[in-house]
Amino acid sequence: MSPAPSRRVLLGTGLAGAAAALTGALPAGSAAAAPSPGTPWKEDEGQTYSVPGLKRPVRVTVDIWGVPHIFADNVGDLFQAQGFNIARERLFQIDTWRRRGLGRFSEVLGASYVEQDRAARLFLYRGDMAAEWASYGPEAREAATRFAAGINAYIDWLGDHPDALPAEFRQLGYSPAYWKPEDVVRIRTHGIGNNLSSEVARARLVHAGGTQASAYFRKLEPRHTAQVPDGLDPSLIPADVTRVYSLATTPMVFANGTVRRLSQELNVLRETATGSNAWAVSPTRTATGRPILAGDPHRENYTLPANRYIAHLSAPGLNIIGAGEPWNPGISMGHNGHVAFGLTNLPADQADLYVYELDPDDHTRYRYRGRWEKLTTATEEIEVAGGEPRQVQLSFTRHGPVVKIDEPNHKAYAVRTVWTEPGTSPYLGSLNFQRVTNSREFIEAMGAWKTPGSNLVYADTKGDIGWVPGALVPRRRGRGYDGLLPVPGDGRYEWDGFYDNAELPSSRNPRAGFFASANEYNFPPGYPTPTYEWQPAYRKDRIHEVLSQQRRTSIADTLALQNDERSGVARQFLPYLAKLRSTDPTTAKALALLAGYDGVTSKDSAAAALFETWIMRFLYPAWAQLLLPKPAADQLVGISIDLDLRVMNDSFVRPDDWFGTDGARKRDELLLGTLPKAYADVASKLGADDSAWRWGAMHLHMFVHPLGGPNVGPTERGGTFATVRSSYFYYLAYPYSEVLGPTFKMAIDVGAWDNSRAINAPGQSGDPRSEHYSDLHEEWSAGEYFPLLYSEQAIERNGGTRILLRP
């Protein structure tokens, strides 16, 4: 690892496929040598800002990797300084987040945003604010208030320094907006949903192929068969029933001054495939006798800047470092000098689609328990730039916001989510464990965690390691009500409260000496299952395999494992090819290339280029067409942006059960029949000489600026969704664009904190003028890291920019 990242910026003008269709800008400081945080400040050695509301001066040292180390004399000032700093670095990003979440884009960009603004407002928290604040811990309201005040103070500063205004605001022609503390907690639509699109997709598949067709969609764990709820007619569910929900939840991007959004397919991928890795290793299995904790969350990773920001927050009683969401106060993954913590997505089913019968004579009434019940409505005014305000009506059933009214069929559709409950602003529950001093306190604090469903892996300085899940999981009541399909809203299918986190399983100091979580099915029998739709265990199995073989794990070993590119899918499917032969020249070439494949999906691998193209673009569709009637097969392939290859593998393991008599022969014919098509497809893209093929030439990543540039990339990538170094790529367009994976990664040496390592791509800043806009991209692409510094001495040695915030 180099002592400091290079400053080379990789600029790209386009990326074919999904990222090509997608296209902040924030002030930066000048570099200077940093003093020790404990020494007197000399104003002429750094930047100085006046920040009304501070009680005492706050010192910020931005190290050479762009991480701000914020030192305050009290916690209130600390959170205000955090807000000021994030506005200084990422004002356009957080302003966009706020406007999207509150439904306030029309007021600056015009009438074309009214529909989107209305969609966002449907999902705002509208409940009791006292209960809302209390859910996040005793200092949440103060933290949000001071955090918002810090953002507002920076916006005021920009009023006197207009040259520092991020260029995006000038380009779009509006100014950043002031924040209210409630903005931090009322917005829910940036949260991870795990089931709504699956419900609709499964219903459409059942309509096309019958109940049995749903077994081809996703492998359910624990073993379970989805049933069509009484009173549900899957054929009547409109194809666009989730359109409003997608408008409200899909990240914003812009191009040429007009809004551009991800396709619904990519939004489905974001909902169903979001995951992470996290693991902890006990002192008995490390090289130093100290625990190690690792974490790398996987979210949409084409946005620029990315959706994580690393910061160090220090004040009496609180000294925490790690990554958080730019729009939240506090830190959600990292360490506080006592406990280290990382999280992965627990795919808890926290949403349902409800279907209502409307009164044919009055579509403002829906049937509930044998009577007509009135929709609740709210009329809101949406300001429109360049036009008259628009009046929009928001309608709600007792279960949630109405997202679709099917007038001809007298049906209404509403989305019920846990977002209507207090305390469900995503990740803000981390405020409850910012000050814990040991693992027992951490476990207790996790009792209040609600969204998103998360596995928290922890390690403390006493040597304890473990796992505790947190999620607000509904108790579903009704015959056959399992959350896998939409349900009638007539009163037969209800949520009967929620499970307490204490009812969920956990693990403390496991016998194996380590614990790993990678979104797999990890609930033992006897516990309530938060979902039937888990991610495959490919990543978890590989992590477990490697850690089991290491007796003295080091930080270097941990970094290597985070970058491991051995595919669990290749491990499953390659053996089926081992005994196959063909006289067809193209098929023979394909078999020969894959015969020597070790399953490592490095960017330089020729076999990986063939294998990934074959299994995703040719084998899976042909398998579906072979086993299902054409309408159902077409439906399955059309909805499966996130392919569950476990179902196909199950059919290969038990071919007679799936393919019928002589099933193994039919399976082998399927394999041999699709291989030459895949080989020809790769050859048409990379040339006839397969020795020159490279997976990275097909598999690219770009960080896309929301206004079209400067972008960072394109960069060749290795890995797939089945590797620890996770990469979900959009395989329906060429080249295959990586759209979901890790941008932030950390490896924590618990107790020797300065030995910890981290990366956050492409850089900490959102301002193209800043040296920290893309300075970490080259290291990230190479699987390298920088030191995550914690001690005052180490910070002093690696200081870059010093900032003083004065009352």
Side-chain angles (χ1 to χ4, degrees):
M1 184 194 73
S2 56
S6 71
R7 304 304 184 198
R8 185 167 64 91
V9 180
L10 303 178
L11 300 180
T13 58
L15 177 61
L22 310 174
T23 38
L26 317 261
S30 58
S36 166
T39 62
W41 190 273
K42 295 181 180 179
E43 293 186 16
D44 60 352
E45 291 181 350
Q47 302 175 17
T48 301
Y49 298 86
S50 177
V51 182
L54 290 179
K55 295 179 173 60
R56 297 279 299 161
V58 176
R59 293 170 287 108
V60 183
T61 297
V62 181
D63 67 29
I64 59 176
W65 299 281
V67 176
H69 303 266
I70 305 173
F71 299 91
D73 290 340
N74 60 81
V75 172
D77 284 354
L78 183 65
F79 286 125
Q80 185 166 350
Q82 185 185 15
F84 187 93
N85 179 73
I86 199 63
R88 186 185 66 85
E89 290 278 31
R90 296 195 178 186
L91 183 58
F92 183 70
Q93 181 189 37
I94 63 173
D95 185 81
T96 298
W97 173 86
R98 177 187 171 277
R99 286 192 181 278
R100 181 183 72 85
L102 294 178
R104 303 195 65 172
F105 261 113
S106 299
E107 66 185 21
V108 293
L109 292 180
S112 62
Y113 289 78
V114 169
E115 186 180 13
Q116 175 191 321
D117 284 349
R118 178 186 175 275
R121 295 184 185 202
L122 281 169
F123 290 94
L124 283 171
Y125 177 71
R126 296 171 180 271
D128 180 70
M129 286 305 299
E132 171 73 2
W133 288 121
S135 296
Y136 308 110
E139 64 183 359
R141 187 168 189 171
E142 169 76 0
T145 300
R146 298 296 297 274
F147 183 78
I151 295 172
N152 294 340
Y154 186 74
I155 294 173
D156 282 338
W157 181 86
L158 285 175
D160 295 327
H161 302 81
D163 290 345
L165 182 71
E168 292 90 343
F169 292 106
R170 290 193 294 271
Q171 186 172 342
L172 293 173
Y174 63 86
S175 299
Y178 290 103
W179 286 49
K180 297 178 181 178
E182 292 78 11
D183 298 343
V184 174
V185 296
R186 292 189 64 222
I187 298 172
R188 304 292 206 241
T189 51
H190 59 297
I192 299 172
N194 287 292
N195 179 255
L196 194 70
S197 63
S198 293
E199 288 186 15
V200 176
R202 184 173 282 104
R204 293 168 61 191
L205 184 58
V206 168
H207 168 56
T211 307
Q212 67 278 7
S214 70
Y216 291 76
F217 181 41
R218 289 211 170 95
K219 185 170 184 175
L220 303 181
E221 300 173 298
R223 189 173 181 179
H224 182 76
T225 301
Q227 299 294 324
V228 177
D230 291 342
L232 176 70
D233 184 350
S235 69
L236 294 180
I237 295 179
D240 65 347
V241 70
T242 59
R243 180 176 178 275
V244 169
Y245 175 78
S246 293
L247 273 175
T249 57
T250 305
M252 287 285 301
V253 292
F254 306 82
N256 300 322
T258 59
V259 68
R260 295 291 300 273
R261 303 186 63 83
L262 287 172
S263 70
Q264 186 162 335
E265 286 181 328
L266 285 184
N267 198 40
V268 169
L269 184 65
R270 173 180 176 267
E271 179 178 311
T272 60
T274 295
S276 307
N277 303 317
W279 62 89
V281 184
S282 74
T284 59
R285 296 185 67 98
T286 67
T288 63
R290 296 184 297 270
I292 290 175
L293 182 131
D296 56 292
H298 309 157
R299 294 292 299 272
E300 58 271 17
N301 71 342
Y302 54 84
T303 57
L304 198 166
N307 62 1
R308 298 282 192 248
Y309 183 79
I310 304 175
H312 181 186
L313 311 177
S314 182
L318 179 63
N319 191 9
I320 189 167
I321 189 171
E325 296 62 47
W327 35 80
N328 277 355
I331 300 296
S332 57
M333 59 199 87
H335 74 82
N336 67 358
H338 302 283
V339 182
F341 40 89
L343 58 83
T344 71
N345 178 237
L346 171 68
D349 184 355
Q350 298 180 315
D352 283 320
L353 183 69
Y354 277 73
V355 185
Y356 305 87
E357 177 189 352
L358 295 178
D359 182 348
D361 299 321
D362 182 1
H363 279 184
T364 67
R365 303 199 303 171
Y366 63 97
R367 187 178 296 279
Y368 185 78
R369 293 188 174 172
R371 298 183 178 183
W372 295 116
E373 187 164 304
K374 197 78 170 175
L375 292 172
T376 300
T377 61
T379 301
E380 295 192 1
E381 184 173 276
I382 296 180
E383 296 290 331
V384 177
E388 294 297 319
R390 299 284 184 90
Q391 302 292 317
V392 296
Q393 182 172 287
L394 311 178
S395 297
F396 305 85
T397 70
R398 61 171 47 236
H399 300 120
V402 175
V403 295
K404 173 79 176 180
I405 292 182
D406 182 356
E407 301 278 358
N409 291 303
H410 311 296
K411 298 289 184 183
Y413 299 85
V415 174
R416 186 175 195 178
T417 74
V418 300
W419 295 343
T420 60
E421 298 294 320
T424 56
S425 180
Y427 299 106
L428 202 58
S430 62
L431 289 174
N432 283 296
F433 55 72
Q434 306 286 281
R435 298 173 181 268
V436 298
T437 62
N438 56 57
S439 62
R440 293 189 183 277
E441 291 179 4
F442 181 80
I443 294 168
E444 182 179 356
M446 273 298 297
W449 185 280
K450 296 181 179 179
T451 64
S454 298
N455 299 286
L456 270 293
V457 180
Y458 61 83
D460 69 12
T461 52
K462 294 182 179 180
D464 293 327
I465 68 166
W467 157 69
V468 56
L472 193 63
V473 180
R475 298 179 186 268
R476 291 179 168 85
R477 176 168 51 82
R479 188 164 67 89
Y481 183 20
D482 53 18
L484 291 173
L485 284 153
V487 292
D490 57 12
R492 286 178 287 176
Y493 303 95
E494 294 292 341
W495 291 3
D496 187 16
F498 303 92
Y499 291 99
D500 191 282
N501 282 345
E503 298 177 69
L504 306 182
S506 62
S507 176
R508 190 166 183 267
N509 295 326
R511 181 176 300 179
F514 60 86
F515 185 90
S517 171
N519 322 111
E520 80 290 352
Y521 174 46
N522 62 352
F523 271 42
Y527 288 92
T529 183
T531 184
Y532 289 100
E533 296 187 320
W534 305 79
Q535 288 287 303
Y538 303 125
R539 289 180 282 114
K540 160 50 166 63
D541 289 346
R542 177 59 177 163
I543 295 167
H544 191 279
E545 177 185 41
V546 172
L547 292 179
S548 295
Q549 295 170 354
Q550 293 175 351
R551 293 299 174 185
R552 292 291 180 264
T553 300
S554 67
I555 288 291
D557 294 331
T558 304
L559 305 184
L561 181 52
Q562 283 185 329
N563 289 293
D564 188 280
E565 294 177 341
R566 188 174 296 276
S567 167
V569 168
R571 179 174 292 186
Q572 279 188 335
F573 285 91
L574 286 173
Y576 296 116
L577 302 178
K579 296 181 180 180
L580 299 183
R581 300 291 183 270
S582 176
T583 58
D584 174 71
T586 303
T587 307
K589 288 180 182 179
L591 288 170
L593 181 58
L594 293 179
Y597 184 33
D598 59 4
V600 177
T601 60
S602 71
K603 63 183 180 181
D604 294 321
S605 171
L610 174 59
F611 181 84
E612 295 303 321
T613 300
W614 170 57
I615 202 160
M616 301 289 280
R617 292 178 57 86
F618 292 93
L619 180 60
Y620 185 89
W623 168 80
Q625 296 289 347
L626 179 63
L627 291 179
L628 284 169
K630 181 171 174 50
D634 290 344
Q635 187 68 42
L636 178 63
V637 173
I639 62 179
S640 295
I641 179 70
D642 174 25
L643 302 183
D644 192 343
L645 300 178
R646 295 174 297 177
V647 182
M648 184 167 68
N649 183 64
D650 286 348
S651 76
F652 286 6
V653 172
R654 297 180 287 109
D656 289 346
D657 293 344
W658 289 72
F659 297 94
T661 304
D662 204 11
R665 178 185 60 79
K666 296 175 183 176
R667 176 199 64 201
D668 293 348
E669 288 177 350
L670 173 67
L671 297 171
L672 290 171
T674 51
L675 269 175
K677 297 176 183 178
Y679 188 96
D681 184 72
V682 178
S684 71
K685 296 175 172 64
L686 300 184
D689 180 7
D690 63 24
S691 67
W693 293 357
R694 301 174 60 259
W695 173 226
M698 305 180 72
H699 181 214
L700 301 176
H701 177 271
M702 180 184 287
F703 287 103
V704 183
H705 186 278
L707 296 183
N711 299 328
V712 180
T715 305
E716 294 187 355
R717 300 291 281 163
T720 74
F721 72 93
T723 61
V724 179
R725 215 293 294 160
S726 180
S727 169
Y728 278 83
F729 55 91
Y730 190 70
Y731 66 89
L732 298 177
Y734 180 80
Y736 309 141
S737 305
E738 179 179 299
V739 293
L740 192 150
T743 53
F744 166 73
K745 297 189 287 186
M746 66 179 184
I748 308 297
D749 189 341
V750 178
W753 307 111
D754 288 340
N755 293 337
S756 303
R757 295 293 183 267
I759 194 69
N760 192 32
Q764 285 275 92
S765 177
D767 188 346
R769 299 169 294 184
S770 170
E771 64 176 332
H772 299 304
Y773 181 70
S774 59
D775 58 328
L776 302 177
H777 181 262
E778 187 173 345
E779 279 63 33
W780 174 78
S781 298
E784 298 178 356
Y785 300 71
F786 64 82
L788 187 64
L789 304 180
Y790 190 65
S791 71
E792 294 189 2
Q793 295 79 10
I795 296 166
E796 177 185 358
R797 289 193 298 270
N798 293 278
T801 301
R802 290 169 296 156
I803 300 169
L804 176 65
L805 308 182
R806 296 188 307 184

